[in-house]
Amino acid sequence: MSTPLVELNDISISFGGIQAVDHVTVDLYPGEVVGLLGHNGAGKSTLIKCLSGAYQMDSGEIKINGKTATINNPRDARRYNIETIYQTLALADNLDATANLFLGREIVSPFGMVSDATMEAETRKIMSRLNPNFKKFSAPVSALSGGQRQSVAIARAVYFNAKILIMDEPTAALGPQETRMVAELIQELKRQGLGIFLIDHDVHQVKNLCDRAAVMKNGQLVGVVKVDEVSEDDLLAMIILGKKPEHLAA
Amino acid sequence: MADATDAKAPTQRRNALQSLEIDTRLLGMIGAFIVVALVFNVLTEGRFLTPRNIFNLTIQTVSVAIMATGMVFVIVTRHIDLSVGSLLATCSAVMAMLQTSWLVGEAMPLGSAALPWLAIVGGLVVGTLIGAFNGWLVGYLTIPAFIVTLGGLLVWRNVAWYLTTGQTIGPLDETFQAFGGISGTLGAQWSWIIGAVATVIALVGLFSARRTKITHEFSVKPVWAEAVVAIVVVVGIMGFVWVLNSYDLPERVLAREFQAAGQEMPEGYREAYGLPISVLLLIAVAIVMTVVAQRTRFGRYIFATGGNPDAAELSGINTRLLTVKIFALMGFLCALSAVVASARLTFHSNDIGTLDELRVIAAAVIGGTALSGGIGTIYGAILGALIMQSLQSGMAMVGVDAPYQNIVVGSVLILAVYVDILYRRKTGA
Ligand SMILES: Nc1ncnc2c1ncn2[C@@H]1O[C@H](COP(=O)(O)OP(=O)(O)O)[C@@H](O)[C@H]1O
Ligand SMILES: [Mg+2]
């Protein structure tokens, strides 16, 4: 079998007395979507934040393309072409969509001046693909609806040619039609060979979009299963009971 | 991700103000300034809006205004700097000591051409380093800026005292004094030339901004709106130069100059002050700081960090180093203000810059900088400084006692912030 794109080996991190992630191991292959499931507070966001550089794990190892990777901050993660859509979206509300999309990676002129016009043109291009109705390019994102804000966060993650994409509840603020568009986007990115971690509450959605699902409970990994080998009820049982289904338990 | 709410196209008729794309807040502040000026002009029977008073007003505003531009960045990132007045004093002390004592010796006697410049460089370096140190305490050691700079307020005021052993140092070098205002002006001819150059640059800027928009097929203002803005800019710049060029040197000063040159002063001879170098310095600072705020990554990161520090960090911005840079810049500007302030006095005194921290913060806040972070403009802070100085000078001219002046200025600060809150609530900005 080929080398995994990402290997998270035995990751642990605690905050004060809380063991938020407890010796979790999961991997991700190119062109694969791995769903992360679990109740609120299970540790899903914390786990992926170790990969995105937002948190530093207490122990464990991250490998990218089989090589040990040091990710101490979000800048390091970007160097490995890891892009993240955070659950909180992580937008600067006082800036417009363009400034947010290019934040930390502005296009600059030879004199070191930010090229706002060029960046806005790029933003218009990608938004016309992701959200054709998006028109508010010069309003601060605080003036946008939840769905529009979410599409800005998604645009930012996919614009920069990510190889590894982390999506933490990307459809939380979206209606049914918008959710369908995100699903199509995920399938397209998968075809392009990206590896995607998808955190989602909707078991049905996970079963449709993901190749494998990793279930967490109280910071621990319950198990990783191929979605074709389990039913939605099996997944729900894993989330609630914290045990692998009988027929796979061996 | 179609969204029903943004489907309504922007085809509604734009009113005139929207076509001009002028910041209504800026308009409000200019309006407030004009009201203040007109009221005082009536109360002083026309003495407030004379070229002489406008000249004095501008040179009195420079020192606080320069620091206020830096304070905008500090406050936008949700910090505060209470030490700017004391920092100004330390920088002023350093520069005064450098040019009157430390650097003076056989190789460089008093009056040497290099002396004032070396003193200025020394002061700027010291200011920048102290600012960077403050920023390091705030950014890397995560001590709240309020505490760091409250401590700094005491520390640097008294370091200044130590450096001069509490003495007034002066008179300062004559070249150095040229940065103070009245003793360093360009005269009518050069003022006109600079005004004309500035006008041309501004017009070229407006034109090229429009062209950039057109190449990217973005919507542009109607031509009439563009023309109105251009006319306002031209009239503003040239009007300002005209006012300053209308303030003549007193006859006795001219007579003394001619006498010193051993010549007879011609009948009816007059000479205008023109643009003070200190005002030119403020304009340069304003332009550079505006460009930094709007057109550089540094500026972009300042506003992003102010809007959402976590988002900035997650976007790969090194917010700690950013804090160091912001405070270092603040320190540099304090040193620059120290040049202007001590040059205006013609000597360094112990109490130089006392209470400036409050004036500077007030100027930034009156100018629309939000203490909650993420919002603020350079021109706003400068206008804020100008409004405060106008109130203070105006009241002094009317003969209001100093304690009452402070009561009014304090009340205006609170009122201005309240109006700002109402404005934001209404516009949802
Ligand atoms: N920065 C933090 N400080 C303290 N506790 C945290 C922090 N981040 C997460 N936690 C805790 O870690 C646990 C896992 O949270 P999280 O990863 O957000 O769960 P999930 O994303 O699965 O809903 C929770 O108990 C949460 O309170
Ligand atoms: Mg979460």
Side-chain angles (χ1 to χ4, degrees), chain A residues 110-249:
Chain A
F111 308 109
M113 300 286 131
V114 294
S115 311
D116 279 319
T118 314
M119 290 192 286
E120 185 173 332
E122 287 297 302
T123 308
R124 281 170 190 267
K125 244 186 267 168
I126 182 149
M127 289 313 266
S128 70
R129 237 182 71 207
L130 294 179
N131 185 352
N133 288 326
F134 192 95
K135 291 282 170 343
K136 292 187 177 167
F137 289 95
S138 45
V141 296
S142 60
L144 306 184
S145 70
Q148 292 168 337
R149 290 161 57 82
Q150 196 116 37
S151 56
V152 174
I154 293 174
R156 172 166 66 180
V158 298
Y159 177 78
F160 292 95
N161 299 320
K163 296 211 169 65
I164 300 157
L165 187 61
I166 301 168
M167 307 174 98
D168 195 347
E169 313 208 12
T171 57
L174 304 182
Q177 193 200 347
E178 297 156 321
T179 303
R180 218 173 306 126
M181 286 186 70
V182 172
E184 279 167 26
L185 176 69
I186 290 175
Q187 274 154 347
E188 186 196 319
L189 295 173
K190 179 180 149 83
R191 273 195 298 277
Q192 293 172 13
L194 274 76
I196 301 173
F197 277 123
L198 174 66
I199 299 178
D200 206 315
H201 271 298
D202 185 347
V203 175
H204 180 68
Q205 173 115 317
V206 167
K207 205 148 150 47
N208 280 338
L209 285 177
C210 300
D211 301 288
R212 289 183 297 150
V215 180
M216 289 179 73
K217 189 177 163 93
N218 298 332
Q220 292 175 331
L221 185 70
V222 175
V224 185
V225 293
K226 294 208 170 89
V227 294
D228 295 338
E229 296 173 2
V230 291
S231 65
E232 283 179 29
D233 284 343
D234 288 336
L235 286 174
L236 279 174
M238 284 176 80
I239 294 169
I240 295 165
L241 301 175
K243 279 198 303 221
K244 266 195 171 185
E246 298 276 316
H247 68 275
L248 293 174

Side-chain angles (χ1 to χ4, degrees), chain A residues 78 106 114 131 148 181, chain B residues 1 6 295 297 301 315 374:
Chain A
R78 283 186 171 181
E106 291 75 11
V114 294
N131 185 352
Q148 292 168 337
M181 286 186 70
Chain B
M1 282 157 279
D6 57 19
R295 309 277 287 131
R297 283 187 167 156
Y301 297 169
S315 303

Side-chain angles (χ1 to χ4, degrees), chain A residues 40-41 43-46 87 168-169 199 201:
Chain A
N40 272 332
K44 309 178 297 286
S45 296
T46 307
Q87 194 170 3
D168 195 347
E169 313 208 12
I199 299 178
H201 271 298

Side-chain angles (χ1 to χ4, degrees), chain B residues 2-344:
Chain B
D3 199 307
T5 53
D6 57 19
K8 53 176 181 286
T11 46
Q12 44 184 239
R13 275 192 68 79
R14 295 146 61 103
N15 67 31
L17 215 56
Q18 281 167 330
S19 303
L20 287 166
E21 289 175 27
I22 288 177
D23 188 350
T24 45
R25 180 200 301 278
L26 173 64
L27 230 46
M29 289 190 52
I30 292 175
F33 176 61
I34 290 175
V35 168
V36 168
L38 289 180
V39 167
F40 278 122
N41 201 42
V42 171
L43 292 180
T44 57
E45 287 150 3
R47 275 184 299 133
F48 192 80
L49 287 180
T50 54
R52 176 192 148 89
N53 194 51
I54 291 173
F55 181 92
N56 285 329
L57 205 58
T58 52
I59 62 176
Q60 284 163 354
T61 306
V62 171
S63 165
V64 164
I66 287 177
M67 290 189 281
T69 63
M71 191 62 81
V72 170
F73 288 178
V74 172
I75 297 179
V76 161
T77 48
R78 307 186 182 187
H79 296 303
I80 196 79
D81 193 338
L82 300 173
S83 68
V84 293
S86 298
L87 204 49
L88 182 148
T90 294
C91 295
S92 167
V94 166
M95 290 187 286
M97 291 306 287
L98 279 172
Q99 63 184 281
T100 58
S101 147
W102 296 343
L103 291 177
V104 181
E106 298 249 315
M108 219 187 290
L110 277 176
S112 300
L115 213 43
W117 301 105
L118 291 175
I120 289 173
V121 170
L124 292 174
V125 169
V126 167
T128 309
L129 287 179
I130 296 174
F133 178 64
N134 280 344
W136 177 74
L137 293 174
V138 175
Y140 284 87
L141 302 194
T142 65
I143 307 171
F146 186 91
I147 300 300
V148 167
T149 59
L150 183 61
L153 171 88
L154 295 170
V155 170
W156 301 114
R157 169 69 50 198
N158 292 288
V159 167
W161 194 93
Y162 249 98
L163 292 175
T164 61
T165 53
Q167 283 171 329
T168 296
I169 309 291
L172 299 172
D173 182 278
E174 268 190 28
T175 312
F176 188 88
Q177 284 189 25
F179 288 98
I182 194 93
S183 46
T185 56
L186 297 180
Q189 193 184 356
W190 276 107
S191 300
W192 283 124
I193 291 172
I194 287 182
V197 171
T199 305
V200 170
I201 292 174
L203 292 179
V204 169
L206 282 176
F207 182 73
S208 78
R210 185 183 173 86
R211 218 181 29 199
T212 309
K213 281 191 174 176
I214 291 173
T215 21
H216 285 93
E217 295 172 353
F218 299 164
S219 66
V220 288
K221 280 182 251 191
V223 174
W224 70 261
E226 214 77 76
V228 168
V229 172
I231 289 170
V232 168
V233 167
V234 173
V235 171
I237 295 175
M238 293 317 252
F240 183 60
V241 173
W242 174 70
V243 168
L244 293 181
N245 275 346
S246 309
Y247 178 31
D248 292 339
L249 272 79
E251 249 173 61
R252 57 184 163 74
V253 175
L254 291 174
R256 217 183 303 137
E257 275 179 19
F258 274 96
Q259 207 173 16
Q263 290 171 354
E264 187 77 17
M265 184 164 105
E267 190 69 22
Y269 180 83
R270 54 182 291 271
E271 200 177 300
Y273 279 106
L275 275 170
I277 291 171
S278 66
V279 172
L280 222 50
L281 188 66
L282 171 61
I283 292 170
V285 167
I287 292 171
V288 170
M289 290 292 279
T290 303
V291 169
V292 167
Q294 297 183 352
R295 309 277 287 131
T296 66
R297 283 187 167 156
F298 178 53
R300 186 64 44 94
Y301 297 169
I302 287 171
F303 282 86
T305 304
N308 187 344
D310 293 333
E313 187 73 43
L314 292 175
S315 303
I317 295 166
N318 187 341
T319 53
R320 297 175 163 208
L321 185 59
L322 189 75
T323 306
V324 174
K325 289 183 190 165
I326 291 165
F327 277 88
L329 178 58
M330 184 74 249
F332 175 85
L333 292 169
C334 288
L336 213 51
S337 287
V339 176
V340 174
S342 61
R344 195 158 86 86

